[in-house]
């Protein structure tokens, strides 16, 4: 059985949400269809790209044993939903302004990442009025820890900054890296500070 890597699952969840199990099931459904009906392309490094006419694609390892990347420009519907005839949902105005704030940046950040950064690092909420400030601050800090792109162009990297904040980067061929999650090193962050103060 072909393995679906955590990187591919994270890329799916960054686009569509949902839990890990749902993401893997959806990717496997897509893969099954792409094997029989998709366009197949092999790169110089041996990896395989399988793409549907609807612009959903996966990248397979050179031995075709692992799905190492998932990409699509469609965030509002999964491949299974397209095939089931689920109508496209127009993106919300909120998501539109968040995307516009990041148009020129070399790294993108999910809404969840920006909300968490605003709340736990800046001590504010991520809103239209604070949006630019939050994005600029998150990007300045993210650029300081941005790791090298994986050799095959796809994958996941985690870096911890000087304050103990872990940045989870996901890479896809031909796309900007995306920070899909933030977490704190053990003993760091707002909760650790609150526990320390309560113990005094």
């Amino acid at each position: 059985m072909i393995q679906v890597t955590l990187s591919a699952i994270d890329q799916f969840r960054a686009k569509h949400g949902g839990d890990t199990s749902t993401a893997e099931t959806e990717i496997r459904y897509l893969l099954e269809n792409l094997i029989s009906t998709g366009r197949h392309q092999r790169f110089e490094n041996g990896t395989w790209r399988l793409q549907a006419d609807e612009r959903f694609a996966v990248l397979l390892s050179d031995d075709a044993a692992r799905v190492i990347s998932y990409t699509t420009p469609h965030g509002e519907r999964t491949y299974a939903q397209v095939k089931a005839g689920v109508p496209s949902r127009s993106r919300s105005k909120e998501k539109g302004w968040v995307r516009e704030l990041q148009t020129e940046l070399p790294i993108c950040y999910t809404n969840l990442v920006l909300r968490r950064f605003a709340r736990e690092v800046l001590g504010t909420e991520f809103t239209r009025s604070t949006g630019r400030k939050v994005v600029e601050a998150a990007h300045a800090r993210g650029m300081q820890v941005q790791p090298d792109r994986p050799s095959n162009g796809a994958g996941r990297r985690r870096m911890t900054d000087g304050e103990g904040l872990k940045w989870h980067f996901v890479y896809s061929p031909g796309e900007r890296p995306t920070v899909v999650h933030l977490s704190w090193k053990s003993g760091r962050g707002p909760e650790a500070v609150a526990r320390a103060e309560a113990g005094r």
Side-chain angles (χ1 to χ4, degrees):
M1 176 182 284
I2 297 176
Q3 176 190 359
V4 180
T5 65
L6 180 59
S7 293
I9 287 171
D10 284 343
Q11 289 160 356
F12 180 96
R13 295 179 69 192
K15 280 285 185 181
H16 309 293
D19 58 26
T20 299
S21 176
T22 299
E24 181 174 350
T25 299
E26 289 266 9
I27 291 172
R28 288 193 181 282
Y29 174 78
L30 170 63
L31 177 62
E32 289 173 5
N33 281 268
L34 292 180
I35 288 173
S36 58
T37 65
R39 296 193 303 277
H40 301 181
Q41 176 186 7
R42 192 163 198 185
F43 297 111
E44 290 183 5
N45 64 2
T47 58
W48 293 87
R49 179 179 173 83
L50 282 60
Q51 180 170 331
D53 291 339
E54 298 86 354
R55 295 194 297 165
F56 292 85
V58 296
L59 189 71
L60 299 181
S61 57
D62 54 2
D63 59 0
R66 292 171 292 122
V67 178
I68 57 178
S69 175
Y70 167 87
T71 58
T72 182
H74 306 294
E76 76 279 7
R77 289 186 297 173
T78 67
Y79 181 74
Q81 289 172 330
V82 169
K83 288 301 183 183
V86 174
S88 176
R89 303 183 301 274
S90 60
R91 293 183 179 273
S92 69
K93 292 181 179 179
E94 178 183 359
K95 290 183 180 179
W97 69 262
V98 173
R99 287 197 310 276
E100 287 175 9
L101 289 175
Q102 304 183 62
T103 302
E104 304 299 324
L105 300 182
I107 302 174
C108 358
Y109 306 84
T110 65
N111 290 4
L112 289 175
V113 163
L114 292 170
R115 286 200 294 269
R116 183 164 194 179
F117 186 87
R119 184 175 61 253
E120 298 185 8
V121 177
L122 302 180
T124 186
E125 293 299 319
F126 183 56
T127 64
R128 282 182 179 270
S129 60
T130 64
R132 186 167 300 281
K133 173 186 172 184
V134 171
V135 169
E136 289 175 353
H139 183 62
R141 193 149 159 183
M143 286 292 288
Q144 293 176 12
V145 295
Q146 183 186 6
D148 293 333
R149 181 178 285 273
S151 58
N152 63 3
R156 180 188 178 105
R157 295 283 187 270
R158 296 180 183 88
M159 297 293 288
T160 304
D161 66 25
E163 301 300 318
L165 186 59
K166 294 181 181 180
W167 299 73
H168 300 244
F169 292 82
V170 169
Y171 292 84
S172 302
E175 295 188 9
R176 293 179 291 170
T178 301
V179 178
V180 299
H181 184 59
L182 294 178
S183 60
W184 290 96
K185 184 177 178 181
S186 179
R188 306 295 286 273
E191 291 182 3
V193 171
R195 284 196 298 269
E197 291 179 349
R200 289 179 182 173

